[in-house]
Amino acid sequence: MWYFSIISPVVFWQYMTLCQIVDEGGCKWPNIDSYIFYPSFTRRKRYGQLSADCDSKEALEAFAEETRAWLEENCPPAMREPVRSDDDMCWGGRKWEFESEDQKLWLERMVAKGWTVPTWPEEYGGAGLSKKQEKVLFKEMRKLKCRPALSSIGVVMLAPALMKYGTEAQKKEHLPKIARGEIRWSQGYSEPGAGSDLASLKTAAEDKGDHWLINGSKIWTTYGHKADWMFCLVRTDFNAPKREGISFVMFDMDQPGVTTKPIHLISGTSYFCQTFFDDVRAEKSQLVGEENKGWTVAKYLLQHERDTIAMAASGGGKKKKPIEQIAKETYGEEKGKIADSAVRNQLARFQIREAGFGLTLQRMGDEAKAGSPPGPASSIMKYYGSELNKDRRELMLNCNGMNSLGWEGDEFNNGEIARSWLKSKTNSIEGGTSEIQLNIIAKRVLGLPGVVS
Amino acid sequence: MALVLNEEQQLLKDSAVEFFKEYLPIDTIRQLRDHPDSEDSQNGYKKDVWQKMGEMGWPATIIPEEYGGLGFGFVGLGVVLEAGGRTLAPSPLLSSVALGASALLLAGSEEQKNQWLPQIASGEAIFTLALQEGPAHNPRLITTRAEIKGSDYVINGKKTFVSDGHIADQLVVAVRTDGDDNSRKGQSLLLVDTKQAGVSIKRSVMVDTRNMAEISFDNVTVPASALLGEQDNAFAVIEQIVDRGNIALAAEMLGSVQEAFEQTIEYLKTREQFGQPIGSFQALQHRAAQMFCEIEIGKSLVMSALNAVDAGGFDIPYMACSAKVHMCDTYRLVSNEGIQMHGGMGVTDELDIGLFIKRARVVMQMLGDENFHVQRYASLRGY
Ligand SMILES: Cc1cc2nc3c(=O)[nH]c(=O)nc-3n(C[C@H](O)[C@H](O)[C@H](O)COP(=O)(O)OP(=O)(O)OC[C@H]3O[C@@H](n4cnc5c(N)ncnc54)[C@H](O)[C@@H]3O)c2cc1C
């Protein structure tokens, strides 16, 4: 049933961190570069018009040179500092408060270039770059450690769905604002009673002629309390089979009847909330796709999760102390070895799995390049990646000892290790739980039958 | 290097899969096991099929063209071994080529290469590596001594679990020419003809019906020209040979694991209990899906490891350890689960899964099990 997954910006973020840590570990693997920034290979040909001219080797080299010069000139130094947390990312929107003048400037400059959405057509706020040019741009950004100018659920999730299913009016209205970071979007899919079984959602939309009145509640809405608009799955037909009565609508969250209640996470942050709807108005003109066919749009939107990872992956990163060094300091060193042999083995086993995962991402990319359809390897990404990341965080606790459990104060870097560890627990829940991923692999990839009831 | 096969390699793989299905199907192991007095069984492999494999050019894969080889590289050898792993095909390909030819390629003089590589490439000569001396792989521990007498070496000692030792024509023997039993310094490699006086070979009959031998050397005298590489400094070369051996083993294991897994999945789809295929039970589905993930990771590690050998980079030892560790873990998992998921049938000799689990433990032990390689990996990474 679920052969896609809901992904939140935090997931992308985790993936990105995951990749960076591979790098920071002083890993000696070859070709590591090609999977630090792995996801572009999964990007489908969408907006980019592939022109032979701009993609020739010479043209791309020239483009790289221009780009580098522009970035050096225009990316403020503060925007080349490593991203420390979600707070350092620019999410935009009506309520956004820039962290610094530099953050604002950086967004404005990138928007003017159309480089927040490089491959989109210019009329929608993009720069009309080809895929290859975009790759060059990201590569140059990475080299100079430029932060992404804009992080946006609108760009990575909503826009692809609008491009495919939206009306021309909807595209003209929403896409440029998304590109410029003027409107911040949230995703209203999950409900208290509809998690893994998303299609059982009950938020009701009552037909009022030119609009609907929406009543119900969404939960786990990432940055719902900071968002301006929501794209939302609502039930427009309670009599139809569960997947056939769902519609995909968009509405402004700044209206009476929308309330949000932040949810506090074990990691001490609160980046999502429960959202309540009390006679909330959604215009019929903001219906994406056909009425009662919202499930199709919903699925399509979710398939774009990996594109997102690519975006996030262009942040800078500072070399941290390698984990093996930390373990040596915690447990002592004997003849160059971590004195605690159990920790040593645990670390080696982890690093081998980590390398295997990285190489699998690379293999997927190579297979895609070689023209084979996205292989079954893609379905392991979510499952294996999030389990691996949880293991990494557990290992950080083992290697750092009690230091890892400090929660506040400079000596503990404000509990960074503990907070990241707790945050990693969301990996195997968000975006479709690990169990749901295993169900998908069992059914879709291995072809195992469903239960006969 | 891309982690996908090119057209040529894909063709090689396809033809190898077909070949093994036809000439060395999995029943071959049962035949060898159940007719202990037959010539094939005594040999532990089928000579006529080995000859055909020679004609197909498989022992020639990693040997450069100037020595009568095909220059297909390790990726070429890997895909053939993977195909053979699917039917547990008994042949001296791994010993003779991955170990024997690698030893010559890494350490041989021009003369030695010219003399032997063409014969290995055609399958006429079978080589193997005589390294291990105890129950477990430990490349530092070499007690077999070679004394220098005039311009000759005189060898005394015993080697254990030499794969294909009793059918080999030539042995690459790790000997101690200097230093303590356990030191890296003072190791050398000597080429020894198995028909040489003083060499006695006893076949060890193993759980997997394949070939292992215990080989004793009693004042075996070989000339100075038998030295492969530098005297006293062979340890590094031995490690390189063993790395290649492990990468080849990992490729074979990958083939076996996939076959065992596919057979298990097939059973999950056909066996019915409680009025439904057992594969509809989520307890089994999830375990199957987890195995699938590990196999996918294994494919990437094996392919990268094979590539690494062909690229000749610094990362070969890392890749060898990683691929071996992961394939040991995965083969253990898939062979154990394979039995469990077949229920009572799983422990019978009717099914192939029992043959896989037996071979699994042998290949896991060969040239170092996962524990050995986890520790080696940590040392390589400097912790
Ligand atoms: C950090 C984070 C951000 C999120 N952001 C958003 C967002 O922006 N918008 C949004 O709409 N949603 C968001 N979600 C919601 C997320 O998609 C759901 O949490 C997820 O789909 C799981 O649903 P649930 O929490 O109701 O768990 P449940 O579905 O109740 O699952 C509970 C347990 O039961 C298991 N389970 C359920 N069904 C099966 C089955 N068929 N077989 C085996 N096991 C099963 C699960 O694996 C899990 O272990 C976010 C979640 C997190 C953690």
Side-chain angles (χ1 to χ4, degrees):
Chain A
M1 172 204 57
W2 270 75
Y3 46 98
F4 51 80
S5 42
I6 296 183
I7 197 109
S8 78
V10 188
V11 187
F12 326 142
W13 190 243
Q14 296 285 359
Y15 270 111
M16 179 186 163
T17 329
L18 184 152
C19 297
Q20 279 184 352
I21 284 176
V22 175
D23 192 28
E24 285 161 6
C27 202
K28 296 178 190 124
W29 300 96
N31 300 327
I32 188 134
D33 214 42
S34 57
Y35 66 83
I36 289 177
F37 189 62
Y38 56 85
S40 54
F41 56 73
T42 56
R43 304 184 128 226
R44 282 156 285 268
K45 226 208 245 172
R46 276 184 304 165
Y47 328 115
Q49 72 282 50
L50 275 188
S51 125
D53 297 332
C54 68
D55 281 349
S56 70
K57 196 161 168 274
E58 301 75 46
L60 286 176
E61 273 165 14
F63 179 70
E65 208 161 302
E66 269 166 45
T67 304
R68 197 174 319 131
W70 188 89
L71 289 171
E72 266 173 19
E73 171 97 30
N74 289 284
C75 184
M79 293 297 106
R80 299 194 208 169
E81 290 291 311
V83 175
R84 287 152 304 184
S85 70
D86 263 12
D87 298 338
D88 283 346
M89 308 287 282
C90 173
W91 295 91
R94 293 192 293 238
K95 308 184 190 87
W96 183 251
E97 284 170 25
F98 287 98
E99 182 190 60
S100 62
E101 201 46 42
D102 282 341
Q103 192 183 51
K104 180 158 179 263
L105 200 62
W106 179 222
L107 177 64
E108 283 169 3
R109 287 174 176 167
M110 286 291 275
V111 165
K113 280 291 248 189
W115 281 0
T116 52
V117 286
T119 58
W120 291 13
E122 284 170 32
E123 54 173 322
Y124 299 142
L129 299 191
S130 72
K131 289 270 143 210
K132 288 193 174 158
Q133 286 176 314
E134 183 190 52
K135 218 173 142 186
V136 169
L137 167 62
F138 285 155
K139 196 168 153 198
E140 293 303 326
M141 283 178 68
R142 226 171 352 125
K143 275 198 214 152
L144 295 178
K145 301 199 187 305
C146 308
R147 290 181 185 175
L150 178 66
S151 303
S152 159
I153 294 183
V155 171
V156 296
M157 298 180 80
L158 177 61
L162 274 186
M163 299 258 189
K164 186 166 164 85
Y165 294 101
T167 61
E168 196 47 48
Q170 288 170 344
K171 291 184 207 173
K172 287 221 169 81
E173 178 184 355
H174 296 297
L175 292 178
K177 290 183 194 160
I178 290 174
R180 294 195 295 263
E182 289 169 6
I183 293 294
R184 186 168 180 181
W185 286 84
S186 69
Q187 178 193 31
Y189 275 31
S190 305
E191 295 179 8
S196 299
D197 183 13
L198 178 62
S200 67
L201 60 92
K202 290 200 177 61
T203 293
E206 193 188 337
D207 196 326
K208 292 285 181 189
D210 64 343
H211 68 278
W212 285 286
L213 280 186
I214 298 173
N215 284 284
S217 172
K218 293 287 173 183
I219 196 165
W220 320 126
T221 324
T222 299
Y223 294 128
H225 50 308
K226 297 185 176 173
D228 306 309
W229 275 64
M230 173 180 271
F231 54 90
C232 188
L233 295 179
V234 293
R235 189 157 298 282
T236 35
D237 185 345
F238 277 84
N239 299 317
K242 62 181 185 179
R243 287 189 195 88
E244 288 156 37
I246 296 172
S247 298
F248 187 109
V249 298
M250 307 181 286
F251 53 81
D252 195 325
M253 294 179 80
D254 282 341
Q255 59 169 306
V258 177
T259 42
T260 57
K261 195 176 112 214
I263 299 171
H264 297 282
L265 293 179
I266 51 177
S267 55
T269 49
S270 170
Y271 51 80
F272 55 22
C273 55
Q274 183 164 3
T275 315
F276 301 89
F277 310 124
D278 180 13
D279 280 345
V280 167
R281 190 180 163 112
E283 302 302 329
K284 285 255 169 105
S285 61
Q286 302 293 352
L287 170 74
V288 182
E290 288 172 50
E291 190 171 336
N292 294 326
K293 297 263 169 69
W295 190 246
T296 314
V297 185
K299 279 195 299 189
Y300 180 79
L301 180 147
L302 291 164
Q303 285 165 1
H304 286 270
E305 72 178 68
R306 287 182 209 123
D307 292 16
T308 312
I309 304 166
M311 275 220 4
S314 50
K318 232 190 214 145
K319 279 244 181 293
K320 281 192 194 151
K321 198 184 280 181
I323 187 165
E324 47 264 41
Q325 187 53 40
I326 296 171
K328 281 179 181 175
E329 286 166 16
T330 305
Y331 294 100
E333 190 174 338
E334 276 169 21
K335 292 189 194 154
K337 295 178 185 172
I338 300 166
D340 185 320
S341 62
V343 172
R344 179 174 187 248
N345 287 355
Q346 199 186 357
L347 179 56
R349 281 191 166 279
F350 174 77
Q351 290 187 333
I352 289 170
R353 285 210 299 137
E354 180 183 61
F357 180 65
L359 289 165
T360 303
L361 295 171
Q362 191 185 327
R363 180 163 65 86
M364 284 164 57
D366 290 343
E367 281 169 5
K369 261 186 247 158
S372 50
S378 64
S379 37
I380 76 169
M381 194 172 104
K382 169 67 171 71
Y383 169 72
Y384 212 89
S386 43
E387 295 299 325
L388 190 70
N389 200 37
K390 287 197 296 182
D391 288 351
R392 174 199 328 281
R393 298 299 169 183
E394 292 289 344
L395 190 63
M396 288 297 278
L397 302 197
N398 289 125
C399 290
N400 282 277
M402 202 58 113
N403 280 339
S404 63
L405 297 171
W407 191 247
E408 279 170 10
D410 285 346
E411 73 270 42
F412 301 126
N413 201 7
N414 277 320
E416 193 226 327
I417 300 173
R419 288 170 204 270
S420 306
W421 160 66
L422 290 166
K423 218 169 167 185
S424 74
K425 300 303 177 198
T426 64
N427 293 168
S428 52
I429 299 169
E430 64 200 336
T433 67
S434 279
E435 289 75 21
I436 295 299
Q437 303 307 319
L438 292 175
N439 285 349
I440 295 165
I441 296 170
K443 299 212 174 78
R444 304 273 153 183
V445 184
L446 302 178
L448 293 174
V451 180
V452 182
S453 40
Chain B
M1 228 179 283
L3 293 179
V4 283
L5 297 179
N6 64 29
E7 211 172 313
E8 202 179 47
Q9 291 158 344
Q10 189 61 49
L11 277 174
L12 180 65
K13 182 172 176 174
D14 295 344
S15 66
V17 168
E18 284 311 308
F19 180 93
F20 287 119
K21 251 193 237 162
E22 185 172 348
Y23 293 102
L24 293 176
I26 196 150
D27 267 337
T28 312
I29 289 288
R30 289 195 179 86
Q31 283 167 20
L32 297 182
R33 183 193 62 190
D34 298 340
H35 303 95
D37 297 329
S38 71
E39 197 197 323
D40 283 348
S41 189
Q42 293 286 320
N43 287 330
Y45 76 116
K46 291 182 141 186
K47 269 194 176 155
D48 53 331
V49 180
W50 174 244
Q51 210 173 351
K52 281 205 179 68
M53 287 169 71
E55 286 159 18
M56 301 289 287
W58 294 340
T61 38
I62 65 164
I63 296 171
E65 286 167 44
E66 70 239 56
Y67 304 113
L70 291 174
F72 261 127
F74 241 75
V75 175
L77 177 62
V79 297
V80 174
L81 285 168
E82 183 186 332
R86 280 191 171 265
T87 69
L88 297 175
S91 91
L93 191 59
L94 199 135
S95 321
S96 195
V97 182
L99 297 172
S102 289
L104 284 160
L105 286 167
L106 287 163
S109 65
E110 210 43 48
E111 210 183 321
Q112 286 164 329
K113 288 197 253 189
N114 278 321
Q115 182 182 0
W116 292 115
L117 287 174
Q119 294 189 49
I120 295 179
S122 66
E124 276 162 75
I126 295 176
F127 270 61
T128 192
L129 177 70
L131 172 65
Q132 194 166 321
E133 299 196 349
H137 174 73
N138 178 0
R140 279 170 63 172
L141 182 74
I142 305 287
T143 62
T144 298
R145 297 229 161 222
E147 263 173 89
I148 301 154
K149 285 225 169 112
S151 65
D152 291 341
Y153 293 97
V154 180
I155 313 170
N156 279 292
K158 194 169 86 178
K159 295 285 175 183
T160 53
F161 305 108
V162 179
S163 65
D164 295 308
H166 80 292
I167 54 166
D169 303 300
Q170 294 286 326
L171 304 170
V172 177
V173 189
V175 295
R176 182 159 298 289
T177 36
D178 193 19
D180 306 335
D181 286 352
N182 221 343
S183 103
R184 291 165 204 239
K185 255 323 273 154
Q187 299 186 7
S188 308
L189 287 176
L190 293 173
L191 272 179
V192 178
D193 192 309
T194 48
K195 288 178 218 63
Q196 178 102 16
V199 177
S200 48
I201 301 179
K202 187 175 134 235
R203 183 177 178 200
S204 316
V205 179
M206 305 298 290
V207 68
D208 65 344
T209 320
R210 296 275 282 271
N211 291 333
M212 291 279 185
E214 191 182 285
I215 304 183
S216 308
F217 301 88
D218 181 14
N219 285 322
V220 177
T221 308
V222 294
S225 61
L227 180 72
L228 207 57
E230 267 179 66
Q231 184 180 304
D232 295 341
N233 276 332
F235 187 77
V237 176
I238 292 172
E239 282 204 315
Q240 291 178 50
I241 300 167
V242 169
D243 282 339
R244 282 157 177 74
N246 273 310
I247 290 170
L249 279 171
E252 181 194 316
M253 292 163 97
L254 178 64
S256 307
V257 161
Q258 289 178 85
E259 182 66 28
F261 180 68
E262 284 162 22
Q263 289 190 10
T264 304
I265 294 298
E266 196 46 42
Y267 195 72
L268 294 187
K269 289 179 184 170
T270 45
R271 166 74 176 166
E272 294 197 358
Q273 282 296 283
F274 299 97
Q276 51 200 316
I278 55 171
S280 65
F281 302 131
Q282 202 180 45
L284 301 186
Q285 288 187 342
H286 281 194
R287 278 148 63 192
Q290 281 163 332
M291 286 193 267
F292 170 79
C293 291
E294 300 299 350
I295 294 171
E296 287 298 314
I297 301 284
K299 286 181 188 169
S300 318
L301 283 168
V302 168
M303 186 73 194
S304 311
L306 294 167
N307 272 342
V309 177
D310 288 334
F314 67 91
D315 57 327
I316 299 172
Y318 298 85
M319 288 312 311
C321 287
S322 305
K324 186 70 185 301
V325 169
H326 187 82
M327 287 320 300
C328 283
D329 287 347
T330 306
Y331 207 173
R332 187 192 298 283
L333 175 74
V334 172
S335 56
N336 284 346
E337 287 283 50
I339 288 192
Q340 181 64 21
M341 291 185 181
H342 279 91
M345 283 300 288
V347 287
T348 68
D349 193 44
E350 296 279 296
L351 296 185
D352 298 338
I353 189 71
L355 300 175
F356 283 106
I357 200 169
K358 292 173 188 170
R359 177 67 179 161
R361 297 309 184 269
V362 175
V363 279
M364 283 159 70
Q365 283 281 333
M366 275 172 79
L367 305 178
D369 67 1
E370 68 273 31
N371 293 325
F372 177 92
H373 287 287
V374 164
Q375 303 204 33
R376 175 150 182 261
Y377 180 87
S379 299
L380 288 166
R381 294 282 304 250
Y383 62 85

